[in-house]
Amino acid sequence: QVALLKVLQCAEYNPDQYLWEPEFTLAGRKYKRIDLELSNERNQTLKCSHYVPAIIPENTALPCVIYCHGNSGCRADANEAAVILLPSNITLFALDFAGSGLSGGEYVSLGWHEKQDLKSVVSFLRKNKEVSCIGLWGRSMGAVTSLLYGAEDPSIAGMVLDSAFSNLYELMLELVDVYKIRVPKFTVKMAVHYMRRVIQRRAKFDIMDLNVVQFAPKTFIPALFGHASSDVFIQSHHTDRIHQAYAGDKNLIKFDGDHNSARPQFYYDSVSIFFYNVLNPPQFPSACSNKLEKYYNRGAGTNESLLYEIINGLRAAGTDAGSSSAAAASFTNGAPQNQ
């Protein structure tokens, strides 16, 4: 088995345990969770949930934000987004990308194929008369996915991009140093190129195509960038590069923490204000409540398993880059422990 790309369903979960209830109250108002299935262009099933007010005034369309999770995440990671968005009359759509959570498919592609999953969701929402404009909120792989899609769809109203990488090939080389992989320098690139061939064969995408920063000058959607200053997994200079090259209205927020740490309240406040301004939701009365913390930490996990598996692959492939059996054997393990 090749664990480099095959997701070991580390993000499998029980929706009744990890998602908001089918009917719930938040900030004094009742909401409901509508579960549905969509299909992507590869005929894979996407498990989705749409969080909306239990009662919407007649002839009222509400804006919607699509939450795009990280590579070992799932739609449960959007729980905290519900707390931020729903009280502002912004609905929330969450999905398990193909190869993640409960959706079909074996492989993730760190944004390349996920872009098509996102396209299927946007197409579905465009046909919903109760949805006005659409925003995107992505974290890590989800941020890359949002940026790749946004470069092709200028009708998206705004994007929040948290911890995106700017270039996958360069990130893989950085991870060799970050995790102190003990291989001779001259074998590192050989190992990466070997893994490139493995990924192309099994997951049908080329890591060299994920040069994300090249899409930034072509994208004009208003964007809020965020990155943890102590993130050693995807270092903050990746977001700096994308932000610098980005053509649209933009803002960048740095905050304490690492790649997987909880985001500070001031960052969420900025996200809330950003989406309020770009989506312009209609106003109708809402009670207030401070008891919003219940679902902040109910995500099914945010460790970036595929990237950790790449690290393991680099360790073995660098030891014997010319031997396919040596590299393939290393992919049988999951993410490194104690990360």
Side-chain angles (χ1 to χ4, degrees):
Q1 59 180 351
V2 179
L4 169 64
L5 292 166
K6 185 170 183 176
V7 175
L8 303 179
Q9 297 302 341
C10 58
E12 278 195 4
Y13 60 96
N14 181 343
D16 293 332
Q17 180 180 359
Y18 286 102
L19 303 183
W20 288 85
E21 287 87 354
E23 296 181 353
F24 60 96
T25 300
L26 178 64
R29 184 183 295 165
K30 294 182 178 180
Y31 297 90
K32 58 185 178 181
R33 187 190 89 219
I34 303 172
D35 294 334
L36 62 146
E37 294 183 356
L38 300 177
S39 294
N40 62 17
E41 292 183 350
R42 293 166 287 160
N43 294 317
Q44 296 166 326
T45 299
L46 305 176
K47 295 286 189 175
C48 310
S49 296
H50 194 184
Y51 297 101
V52 300
I55 299 176
I56 301 177
E58 189 176 357
N59 298 321
T60 300
L62 299 180
C64 179
V65 168
I66 304 169
Y67 188 89
C68 302
H69 63 74
N71 99 74
S72 63
C74 65
R75 57 187 154 149
D77 297 342
N79 285 340
E80 58 192 16
V83 176
I84 305 302
L85 299 172
L86 292 177
S88 296
N89 298 326
I90 300 170
T91 70
L92 172 66
F93 195 99
L95 75 152
D96 294 344
F97 284 119
S100 299
L102 304 180
S103 288
E106 289 186 290
Y107 304 108
V108 297
S109 62
L110 298 177
W112 189 254
H113 293 311
E114 287 77 12
K115 173 183 66 175
Q116 300 304 322
D117 297 347
L118 183 53
K119 180 179 179 180
S120 298
V121 172
V122 172
S123 178
F124 169 78
L125 292 174
R126 294 287 187 213
K127 299 173 184 177
N128 187 336
K129 295 182 180 179
E130 293 184 345
V131 174
S132 56
C133 51
I134 295 174
L136 306 177
W137 183 348
R139 183 157 171 175
S140 193
M141 179 186 79
V144 171
T145 302
S146 299
L147 185 56
L148 294 177
Y149 179 78
E152 299 179 354
D153 186 355
S155 68
I156 296 297
M159 301 190 295
V160 171
L161 305 171
D162 185 335
S163 306
F165 58 81
S166 59
N167 183 295
L168 180 56
Y169 176 74
E170 293 179 4
L171 174 63
M172 292 170 69
L173 295 179
E174 289 176 4
L175 292 175
V176 173
D177 292 329
V178 169
Y179 287 93
K180 297 179 172 58
I181 300 174
R182 296 179 180 178
V183 296
K185 291 289 186 179
F186 70 89
T187 67
V188 172
K189 289 188 177 181
M190 188 185 305
V192 170
H193 282 288
Y194 168 77
M195 295 177 66
R196 176 189 181 188
R197 294 194 297 271
V198 173
I199 293 171
Q200 283 179 306
R201 184 171 66 252
R202 295 185 176 271
K204 311 301 181 188
F205 81 100
D206 187 348
I207 62 173
M208 306 303 284
D209 290 335
L210 279 174
N211 180 17
V212 183
V213 71
Q214 70 177 327
F215 296 94
K218 308 172 186 177
T219 311
F220 296 87
I221 299 167
L224 175 64
F225 293 84
H227 213 114
S229 55
S230 299
D231 188 341
V232 296
F233 194 68
I234 299 177
Q235 298 177 48
S236 61
H237 70 79
H238 284 270
T239 286
D240 291 338
R241 288 185 62 198
I242 299 172
H243 176 262
Q244 183 177 7
Y246 195 78
D249 291 339
K250 57 190 176 182
N251 194 15
L252 171 59
I253 298 177
K254 298 284 186 70
F255 39 82
D256 293 337
D258 57 29
H259 191 70
N260 296 318
S261 63
R263 296 330 192 200
Q265 186 59 47
F266 82 86
Y267 174 70
Y268 286 132
D269 291 342
S270 298
V271 170
S272 177
I273 294 169
F274 172 79
F275 277 129
Y276 185 89
N277 288 335
V278 298
L279 298 177
N280 192 27
Q283 297 304 298
F284 39 92
S286 174
C288 295
S289 172
N290 292 323
K291 299 179 180 180
L292 305 180
E293 295 83 8
K294 180 179 179 182
Y295 291 88
Y296 262 81
N297 297 308
R298 291 188 62 174
T302 57
N303 284 336
E304 300 290 337
S305 63
L306 174 55
L307 291 176
Y308 283 135
E309 288 157 9
I310 286 175
I311 295 168
N312 277 343
L314 284 170
R315 285 195 175 104
T319 301
D320 187 358
S323 170
S324 60
S325 60
S330 72
F331 302 154
T332 59
N333 295 321
Q337 300 301 310
N338 302 320
Q339 300 292 350

mmCIF file of all heavy atoms in Angstrom, residues 122-145:
data_model
loop_
_atom_site.group_PDB
_atom_site.id
_atom_site.type_symbol
_atom_site.label_atom_id
_atom_site.label_comp_id
_atom_site.label_asym_id
_atom_site.label_seq_id
_atom_site.Cartn_x
_atom_site.Cartn_y
_atom_site.Cartn_z
ATOM 1 N N VAL A 122 -19.884 25.304 -5.842
ATOM 2 C CA VAL A 122 -20.290 26.637 -6.297
ATOM 3 C C VAL A 122 -21.417 26.526 -7.319
ATOM 4 O O VAL A 122 -22.403 27.281 -7.268
ATOM 5 C CB VAL A 122 -19.090 27.406 -6.885
ATOM 6 C CG1 VAL A 122 -19.552 28.711 -7.534
ATOM 7 C CG2 VAL A 122 -18.055 27.700 -5.802
ATOM 8 N N SER A 123 -21.297 25.587 -8.243
ATOM 9 C CA SER A 123 -22.336 25.390 -9.252
ATOM 10 C C SER A 123 -23.671 25.044 -8.603
ATOM 11 O O SER A 123 -24.729 25.552 -9.008
ATOM 12 C CB SER A 123 -21.911 24.283 -10.221
ATOM 13 O OG SER A 123 -22.915 24.029 -11.178
ATOM 14 N N PHE A 124 -23.629 24.209 -7.579
ATOM 15 C CA PHE A 124 -24.852 23.847 -6.856
ATOM 16 C C PHE A 124 -25.469 25.068 -6.180
ATOM 17 O O PHE A 124 -26.686 25.301 -6.262
ATOM 18 C CB PHE A 124 -24.542 22.765 -5.818
ATOM 19 C CG PHE A 124 -25.655 22.509 -4.843
ATOM 20 C CD1 PHE A 124 -26.748 21.747 -5.204
ATOM 21 C CD2 PHE A 124 -25.601 23.049 -3.560
ATOM 22 C CE1 PHE A 124 -27.785 21.519 -4.292
ATOM 23 C CE2 PHE A 124 -26.621 22.825 -2.648
ATOM 24 C CZ PHE A 124 -27.719 22.055 -3.021
ATOM 25 N N LEU A 125 -24.658 25.863 -5.511
ATOM 26 C CA LEU A 125 -25.174 27.022 -4.785
ATOM 27 C C LEU A 125 -25.695 28.097 -5.733
ATOM 28 O O LEU A 125 -26.639 28.823 -5.395
ATOM 29 C CB LEU A 125 -24.082 27.599 -3.881
ATOM 30 C CG LEU A 125 -23.662 26.728 -2.695
ATOM 31 C CD1 LEU A 125 -22.472 27.345 -1.965
ATOM 32 C CD2 LEU A 125 -24.830 26.528 -1.728
ATOM 33 N N ARG A 126 -25.095 28.204 -6.909
ATOM 34 C CA ARG A 126 -25.566 29.191 -7.879
ATOM 35 C C ARG A 126 -27.014 28.928 -8.286
ATOM 36 O O ARG A 126 -27.733 29.849 -8.679
ATOM 37 C CB ARG A 126 -24.689 29.172 -9.125
ATOM 38 C CG ARG A 126 -23.247 29.613 -8.920
ATOM 39 C CD ARG A 126 -23.143 31.103 -8.711
ATOM 40 N NE ARG A 126 -21.745 31.536 -8.692
ATOM 41 C CZ ARG A 126 -21.283 32.529 -7.963
ATOM 42 N NH1 ARG A 126 -22.110 33.194 -7.172
ATOM 43 N NH2 ARG A 126 -20.004 32.861 -8.005
ATOM 44 N N LYS A 127 -27.435 27.683 -8.198
ATOM 45 C CA LYS A 127 -28.797 27.321 -8.594
ATOM 46 C C LYS A 127 -29.800 27.480 -7.453
ATOM 47 O O LYS A 127 -31.002 27.303 -7.661
ATOM 48 C CB LYS A 127 -28.816 25.873 -9.093
ATOM 49 C CG LYS A 127 -27.926 25.634 -10.306
ATOM 50 C CD LYS A 127 -27.857 24.157 -10.648
ATOM 51 C CE LYS A 127 -26.882 23.904 -11.792
ATOM 52 N NZ LYS A 127 -26.739 22.453 -12.097
ATOM 53 N N ASN A 128 -29.307 27.795 -6.271
ATOM 54 C CA ASN A 128 -30.164 27.946 -5.099
ATOM 55 C C ASN A 128 -30.624 29.397 -4.996
ATOM 56 O O ASN A 128 -29.822 30.304 -4.781
ATOM 57 C CB ASN A 128 -29.387 27.537 -3.845
ATOM 58 C CG ASN A 128 -30.250 27.493 -2.608
ATOM 59 O OD1 ASN A 128 -31.286 28.155 -2.520
ATOM 60 N ND2 ASN A 128 -29.818 26.724 -1.617
ATOM 61 N N LYS A 129 -31.910 29.623 -5.133
ATOM 62 C CA LYS A 129 -32.455 30.975 -5.127
ATOM 63 C C LYS A 129 -32.362 31.641 -3.760
ATOM 64 O O LYS A 129 -32.550 32.855 -3.651
ATOM 65 C CB LYS A 129 -33.901 30.966 -5.614
ATOM 66 C CG LYS A 129 -34.055 30.548 -7.079
ATOM 67 C CD LYS A 129 -35.492 30.592 -7.519
ATOM 68 C CE LYS A 129 -35.626 30.176 -8.986
ATOM 69 N NZ LYS A 129 -37.047 30.196 -9.439
ATOM 70 N N GLU A 130 -32.074 30.858 -2.723
ATOM 71 C CA GLU A 130 -31.943 31.430 -1.386
ATOM 72 C C GLU A 130 -30.503 31.829 -1.069
ATOM 73 O O GLU A 130 -30.208 32.252 0.041
ATOM 74 C CB GLU A 130 -32.464 30.442 -0.342
ATOM 75 C CG GLU A 130 -33.965 30.206 -0.444
ATOM 76 C CD GLU A 130 -34.484 29.306 0.664
ATOM 77 O OE1 GLU A 130 -33.649 28.642 1.327
ATOM 78 O OE2 GLU A 130 -35.709 29.280 0.881
ATOM 79 N N VAL A 131 -29.612 31.679 -2.060
ATOM 80 C CA VAL A 131 -28.212 32.076 -1.901
ATOM 81 C C VAL A 131 -27.928 33.267 -2.806
ATOM 82 O O VAL A 131 -28.245 33.238 -4.002
ATOM 83 C CB VAL A 131 -27.252 30.922 -2.256
ATOM 84 C CG1 VAL A 131 -25.796 31.398 -2.231
ATOM 85 C CG2 VAL A 131 -27.447 29.759 -1.290
ATOM 86 N N SER A 132 -27.359 34.312 -2.252
ATOM 87 C CA SER A 132 -27.019 35.493 -3.055
ATOM 88 C C SER A 132 -25.577 35.370 -3.538
ATOM 89 O O SER A 132 -25.290 34.657 -4.494
ATOM 90 C CB SER A 132 -27.242 36.773 -2.246
ATOM 91 O OG SER A 132 -26.518 36.746 -1.032
ATOM 92 N N CYS A 133 -24.636 36.014 -2.865
ATOM 93 C CA CYS A 133 -23.233 35.928 -3.280
ATOM 94 C C CYS A 133 -22.502 34.856 -2.470
ATOM 95 O O CYS A 133 -22.997 34.359 -1.454
ATOM 96 C CB CYS A 133 -22.556 37.292 -3.139
ATOM 97 S SG CYS A 133 -22.790 38.066 -1.535
ATOM 98 N N ILE A 134 -21.300 34.528 -2.918
ATOM 99 C CA ILE A 134 -20.548 33.411 -2.338
ATOM 100 C C ILE A 134 -19.139 33.862 -1.958
ATOM 101 O O ILE A 134 -18.464 34.568 -2.720
ATOM 102 C CB ILE A 134 -20.466 32.242 -3.337
ATOM 103 C CG1 ILE A 134 -21.874 31.674 -3.608
ATOM 104 C CG2 ILE A 134 -19.538 31.134 -2.826
ATOM 105 C CD1 ILE A 134 -21.902 30.616 -4.690
ATOM 106 N N GLY A 135 -18.694 33.452 -0.778
ATOM 107 C CA GLY A 135 -17.328 33.676 -0.331
ATOM 108 C C GLY A 135 -16.648 32.348 -0.040
ATOM 109 O O GLY A 135 -17.310 31.321 0.108
ATOM 110 N N LEU A 136 -15.329 32.358 0.057
ATOM 111 C CA LEU A 136 -14.546 31.158 0.339
ATOM 112 C C LEU A 136 -13.675 31.388 1.573
ATOM 113 O O LEU A 136 -13.104 32.462 1.740
ATOM 114 C CB LEU A 136 -13.644 30.804 -0.852
ATOM 115 C CG LEU A 136 -14.307 30.654 -2.224
ATOM 116 C CD1 LEU A 136 -13.248 30.365 -3.291
ATOM 117 C CD2 LEU A 136 -15.375 29.568 -2.210
ATOM 118 N N TRP A 137 -13.586 30.367 2.406
ATOM 119 C CA TRP A 137 -12.725 30.410 3.586
ATOM 120 C C TRP A 137 -11.929 29.112 3.598
ATOM 121 O O TRP A 137 -12.483 28.034 3.797
ATOM 122 C CB TRP A 137 -13.579 30.546 4.838
ATOM 123 C CG TRP A 137 -12.810 30.672 6.131
ATOM 124 C CD1 TRP A 137 -11.483 30.466 6.344
ATOM 125 C CD2 TRP A 137 -13.361 31.045 7.408
ATOM 126 N NE1 TRP A 137 -11.156 30.678 7.665
ATOM 127 C CE2 TRP A 137 -12.283 31.039 8.338
ATOM 128 C CE3 TRP A 137 -14.646 31.379 7.852
ATOM 129 C CZ2 TRP A 137 -12.480 31.348 9.685
ATOM 130 C CZ3 TRP A 137 -14.830 31.680 9.184
ATOM 131 C CH2 TRP A 137 -13.760 31.682 10.090
ATOM 132 N N GLY A 138 -10.617 29.199 3.364
ATOM 133 C CA GLY A 138 -9.803 28.000 3.288
ATOM 134 C C GLY A 138 -8.643 28.036 4.247
ATOM 135 O O GLY A 138 -8.068 29.094 4.526
ATOM 136 N N ARG A 139 -8.283 26.860 4.734
ATOM 137 C CA ARG A 139 -7.136 26.729 5.632
ATOM 138 C C ARG A 139 -6.170 25.689 5.075
ATOM 139 O O ARG A 139 -6.573 24.585 4.720
ATOM 140 C CB ARG A 139 -7.601 26.335 7.031
ATOM 141 C CG ARG A 139 -6.462 26.258 8.046
ATOM 142 C CD ARG A 139 -6.983 26.423 9.451
ATOM 143 N NE ARG A 139 -5.964 26.140 10.456
ATOM 144 C CZ ARG A 139 -6.129 26.301 11.764
ATOM 145 N NH1 ARG A 139 -7.290 26.760 12.211
ATOM 146 N NH2 ARG A 139 -5.159 26.018 12.616
ATOM 147 N N SER A 140 -4.907 26.063 4.944
ATOM 148 C CA SER A 140 -3.851 25.181 4.447
ATOM 149 C C SER A 140 -4.213 24.680 3.046
ATOM 150 O O SER A 140 -4.322 25.483 2.128
ATOM 151 C CB SER A 140 -3.619 24.035 5.436
ATOM 152 O OG SER A 140 -2.434 23.345 5.132
ATOM 153 N N MET A 141 -4.430 23.371 2.859
ATOM 154 C CA MET A 141 -4.835 22.877 1.546
ATOM 155 C C MET A 141 -6.088 23.595 1.055
ATOM 156 O O MET A 141 -6.231 23.884 -0.143
ATOM 157 C CB MET A 141 -5.089 21.370 1.594
ATOM 158 C CG MET A 141 -5.554 20.764 0.271
ATOM 159 S SD MET A 141 -6.007 19.008 0.390
ATOM 160 C CE MET A 141 -7.662 19.152 1.126
ATOM 161 N N GLY A 142 -7.007 23.893 1.965
ATOM 162 C CA GLY A 142 -8.230 24.582 1.591
ATOM 163 C C GLY A 142 -7.981 25.995 1.103
ATOM 164 O O GLY A 142 -8.697 26.499 0.225
ATOM 165 N N ALA A 143 -6.952 26.644 1.656
ATOM 166 C CA ALA A 143 -6.597 27.981 1.182
ATOM 167 C C ALA A 143 -6.021 27.915 -0.227
ATOM 168 O O ALA A 143 -6.322 28.756 -1.080
ATOM 169 C CB ALA A 143 -5.599 28.632 2.133
ATOM 170 N N VAL A 144 -5.193 26.904 -0.485
ATOM 171 C CA VAL A 144 -4.655 26.704 -1.836
ATOM 172 C C VAL A 144 -5.790 26.422 -2.808
ATOM 173 O O VAL A 144 -5.851 26.996 -3.906
ATOM 174 C CB VAL A 144 -3.642 25.543 -1.842
ATOM 175 C CG1 VAL A 144 -3.234 25.183 -3.268
ATOM 176 C CG2 VAL A 144 -2.411 25.923 -1.027
ATOM 177 N N THR A 145 -6.716 25.555 -2.400
ATOM 178 C CA THR A 145 -7.869 25.232 -3.244
ATOM 179 C C THR A 145 -8.665 26.482 -3.586
ATOM 180 O O THR A 145 -9.049 26.707 -4.742
ATOM 181 C CB THR A 145 -8.777 24.224 -2.521
ATOM 182 O OG1 THR A 145 -8.034 23.042 -2.209
ATOM 183 C CG2 THR A 145 -9.981 23.863 -3.372
#
